[in-house]
Amino acid sequence: MDWASGSWVVVEATSETTTVGTEPSLLNVWHEYGNRANEILVDIPVHLQSEGNRECDREAKDFLGSRGSTVFWTPNSDAVTAEDYDKAVERNTRGLGSHSWGLIPRIQEVNALLNEFETARETVYESHPEVCFKAYQGDDLPSKKSDAGFEARKECLIENGGDSFQPVINLVDERLANSQWHHRIQSGRVDDVLDAAILALTARESTGNYSTLPDDADPTCDPSIVYPST
């Protein structure tokens, strides 16, 4: 799953095919997919800490090298529960940028889901699309906002996921060329579909055998990022 400015983009990957959908909340995702998903990977911080920077964020930045800026420092748990931006900045270990502040409602959503459904703790893991793309590709990719980066990510999905990911490619090409106002996934959000797709591929191919940042972390309870064991 990946948040796409108003809804969650959900890519479900089986051995035969992939489907792309949207859901308004994580609770909707859980009700729709929770009973049949082996694992659900989400590009949102799942486990927080009370102070300091999470080691998984630091290691993801190092892993990505020139693309390290795509990993945002996660607000600590006190900042996430603050009632306004000024309080969140005051409580956070480091300054709180606009993007990190914007993530807080989604972080609260994840925590609410894990608190409500115990089985979600064994199913919902944190990942990061850029980390997964690099793990599959073996090298840095251009920015996903560039034409070269967009095409490289599509090629990575087909090369590693096979023809079952062709429906994802067809959808993003269609929406990029002919997006209508009533489409839930419009042209400006198709890169989020590719991000959700690489997480779906990782979940399909690496179930029970992920690499993690840090490498000794337990993703069911530790702040950690899972990625493909290639």
Side-chain angles (χ1 to χ4, degrees), residues 1-62:
M1 298 184 301
D2 195 62
W3 179 251
S5 185
S7 65
W8 292 97
V9 173
V10 184
V11 175
E12 183 177 16
T14 70
S15 58
E16 291 82 24
T17 191
T18 51
T19 58
V20 182
T22 60
E23 296 290 345
S25 71
L26 275 181
L27 183 60
N28 289 79
V29 174
W30 184 250
H31 281 307
E32 179 66 25
Y33 299 93
N35 288 335
R36 66 176 186 266
N38 292 325
E39 272 131 28
I40 297 173
L41 303 193
V42 57
D43 181 23
I44 290 291
V46 172
H47 299 293
L48 309 178
Q49 55 193 46
S50 59
E51 60 182 21
N53 295 320
R54 301 193 311 167
E55 183 60 28
C56 59
D57 295 338
R58 190 189 315 277
E59 291 196 16
K61 283 178 173 289
D62 291 342

Side-chain angles (χ1 to χ4, degrees), residues 72-144:
F72 297 92
W73 295 113
T74 299
N76 60 41
S77 54
D78 286 341
V80 166
T81 58
E83 58 271 24
D84 58 41
Y85 178 71
D86 290 338
K87 283 289 186 184
V89 172
E90 181 182 317
R91 294 178 182 181
N92 204 36
T93 302
R94 58 164 62 224
L96 193 68
S98 60
H99 192 280
S100 294
W101 169 248
L103 288 178
I104 284 180
R106 308 286 76 78
I107 297 172
Q108 292 172 331
E109 228 186 315
V110 171
N111 278 273
L113 183 73
L114 297 187
N115 290 335
E116 182 71 19
F117 301 98
E118 188 172 338
T119 52
R121 293 180 175 271
E122 304 294 326
T123 308
V124 179
Y125 296 165
E126 178 180 347
S127 191
H128 194 287
E130 291 295 293
V131 172
C132 294
F133 273 119
K134 181 167 182 177
Y136 277 117
Q137 195 75 3
D139 203 356
D140 294 350
L141 276 71
S143 168
K144 66 180 184 179

Side-chain angles (χ1 to χ4, degrees), residues 47 58 66-67 113 118 131 138 154 162 165 168 182 193 228:
H47 299 293
R58 190 189 315 277
S66 65
R67 299 285 296 153
L113 183 73
E118 188 172 338
V131 172
K154 291 196 299 182
F165 274 80
V168 174
H182 54 80
V193 177

Side-chain angles (χ1 to χ4, degrees), residues 163-210:
D163 290 342
S164 64
F165 274 80
Q166 192 60 49
V168 174
I169 306 304
N170 294 344
L171 183 142
V172 298
D173 286 344
E174 172 195 334
R175 294 297 165 86
L176 195 62
N178 187 31
S179 183
Q180 304 298 317
W181 68 269
H182 54 80
H183 288 153
R184 290 180 178 176
I185 302 171
Q186 298 186 23
S187 59
R189 310 309 310 188
V190 291
D191 57 310
D192 296 316
V193 177
L194 298 183
D195 284 348
I198 197 66
L199 299 187
L201 174 60
T202 300
R204 189 186 78 179
E205 298 298 309
S206 303
T207 298
N209 190 34
Y210 296 102

